[in-house]
């Protein structure tokens, strides 16, 4: 799995040692992007007793909790998340590498965020949804694709992690919601056409908002527009930085009353 037994053990030990070295103060976890589902999967692998003993709260920034269509595009045709001129980089080399990276399979659209009715990639011969992702990789000539998908299929990161969570994400930014090929001959080597929706420029809104619905979530903060909320630029957002510092400073004062959810 993406969160390997070895890395899980290292993170667990680091958290335990950090608490011990800081007079027993519980830990505030902070994650961004792929760190969101990775942290969630880690927490789901811990016991209730361990979580309540060691974790004060978790700050999730732009978590890819339901998958990112940009990752699908990278694996199907382009090879990299952003388009780079071919004179600078061979996208087919990048694509070959992208199809071998387990983390990319971890970030593909998945249930229950996407369903049978959500077409992720449309071609004249076949439409691809979460139901036939195995077939997509076979059609791409990636026989190990279904096995890689199966490896991450049961990785739990969309369910409530059972620790206090503070969710931060961008919104109101043009973000890919699906792709299509008009001509079958163009699939998969040509770059498909984007169908646009809402999100943070990388992650669709429906994936970002998974953490909004958790019972354990204490606050949700969304930033509108590229300057404040874009997937990478959000890390430079001064308001977010201030809020993160405030949460960390206050990490010993949160009790049951923190169940009040503040949304901005």
């Amino acid at each position: 799995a993406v969160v390997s037994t070895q890395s899980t053990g290292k993170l667990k030990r680091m958290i335990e040692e950090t608490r011990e070295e800081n007079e027993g103060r519980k830990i505030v976890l902070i994650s961004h992007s792929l760190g969101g589902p990775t942290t969630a999967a880690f927490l789901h692998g811990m016991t209730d007793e361990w979580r309540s003993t060691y974790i004060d709260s978790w700050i999730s920034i732009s978590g890819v909790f339901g998958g990112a269509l940009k990752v699908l595009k990278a694996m199907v045709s382009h090879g990299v998340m952003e388009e780079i001129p071919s004179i600078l980089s061979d996208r087919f080399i990048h694509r070959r590498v992208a199809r071998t990276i387990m983390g990319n399979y971890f970030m593909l659209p998945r249930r229950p965020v996407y369903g049978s009715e959500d077409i992720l990639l449309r071609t004249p011969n076949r439409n691809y949804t979460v139901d036939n992702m195995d077939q997509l990789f076979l059609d791409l000539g990636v026989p190990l694709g279904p096995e890689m998908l199966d490896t991450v299929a049961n990785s739990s990161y969309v369910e409530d992690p059972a620790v206090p969570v503070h969710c931060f994400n961008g919104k109101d930014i043009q973000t890919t919601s699906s792709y299509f090929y008009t001509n079958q001959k163009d699939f998969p080597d040509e770059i498909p056409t984007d169908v646009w929706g809402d999100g943070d420029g990388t992650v669709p809104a429906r994936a970002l908002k998974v953490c909004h619905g958790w019972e354990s979530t204490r606050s949700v903060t969304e930033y509108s527009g590229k300057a404040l909320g874009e997937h990478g630029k959000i890390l430079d957002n001064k308001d977010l930085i201030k809020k993160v510092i405030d949460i960390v400073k206050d990490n010993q004062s949160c009790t049951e009353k923190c169940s009040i959810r503040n949304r901005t």
Side-chain angles (χ1 to χ4, degrees):
V2 173
V3 186
S4 68
T5 302
Q6 183 178 18
S7 59
T8 295
K10 287 182 178 179
L11 178 56
K12 182 173 181 286
R13 286 192 298 275
M14 183 177 69
I15 290 171
E16 293 169 350
E17 291 169 0
T18 301
R19 180 178 181 273
E20 182 179 344
E21 293 168 2
N22 287 273
E23 301 178 343
R25 298 185 69 182
K26 295 183 181 181
I27 306 303
V28 178
L29 300 174
I30 303 175
S31 66
H32 174 254
S33 193
L34 175 58
T38 302
T39 301
F42 167 78
L43 289 171
H44 284 136
M46 299 296 107
T47 64
D48 289 340
E49 180 182 4
W50 188 92
R51 289 191 295 262
S52 64
T53 299
Y54 291 99
I55 305 300
D56 175 84
S57 57
W58 169 26
I59 299 170
S60 172
I61 304 168
S62 306
V64 192
F65 292 113
L69 274 295
K70 272 192 173 183
V71 177
L72 181 65
K73 182 179 183 180
M75 298 176 80
V76 170
S77 71
H78 201 271
V80 290
M81 294 286 280
E82 302 294 341
E83 295 186 9
I84 300 174
S86 58
I87 192 172
L88 300 178
S89 177
D90 187 331
R91 65 183 178 88
F92 294 116
I93 293 176
H94 287 290
R95 181 178 69 177
R96 187 163 61 248
V97 173
R99 292 172 176 178
T100 67
I101 298 173
M102 185 64 76
N104 285 338
Y105 290 86
F106 196 55
M107 289 191 291
L108 287 173
R110 63 164 60 200
R111 292 182 179 278
V113 181
Y114 290 87
S116 304
E117 72 282 2
D118 297 308
I119 297 174
L120 307 174
L121 178 65
R122 185 191 304 272
T123 73
N125 289 357
R126 179 175 282 149
N127 294 330
Y128 299 97
T129 71
V130 289
D131 288 342
N132 63 347
M133 293 293 282
D134 285 5
Q135 186 61 52
L136 170 60
F137 283 98
L138 293 177
D139 291 346
L140 292 173
V142 186
L144 287 179
E147 181 180 337
M148 302 276 273
L149 283 169
D150 187 62
T151 300
V152 301
N154 295 320
S155 296
S156 178
Y157 64 73
V158 297
E159 293 83 11
D160 193 306
V163 299
V165 181
H166 302 275
C167 297
F168 294 85
N169 63 265
K171 65 176 182 176
D172 303 327
I173 304 170
Q174 183 174 266
T175 305
T176 302
S177 62
S178 67
Y179 300 102
F180 69 88
Y181 284 95
T182 302
N183 299 310
Q184 188 66 33
K185 65 179 179 61
D186 293 335
F187 172 75
D189 290 342
E190 298 303 318
I191 297 173
T193 301
D194 295 73
V195 177
W196 301 107
D198 185 30
D200 70 358
T202 295
V203 185
R206 67 168 74 185
L208 292 167
K209 291 181 177 180
V210 167
C211 61
H212 295 198
W214 291 336
E215 185 177 348
S216 297
T217 296
R218 301 299 187 246
S219 66
V220 173
T221 305
E222 296 185 285
Y223 297 101
S224 179
K226 290 184 177 180
L228 297 177
E230 190 272 333
H231 190 71
K233 290 181 181 178
I234 193 172
L235 296 175
D236 296 322
N237 183 322
K238 292 182 179 179
D239 182 74
L240 178 144
I241 294 170
K242 180 181 181 302
K243 282 183 167 63
V244 168
I245 292 172
D246 288 344
I247 292 169
V248 173
K249 284 182 176 180
D250 197 38
N251 74 332
Q252 290 297 303
S253 65
C254 188
T255 62
E256 290 301 320
K257 65 183 180 181
C258 290
S259 60
I260 299 174
R261 297 158 65 94
N262 300 308
R263 295 177 182 267
T264 61

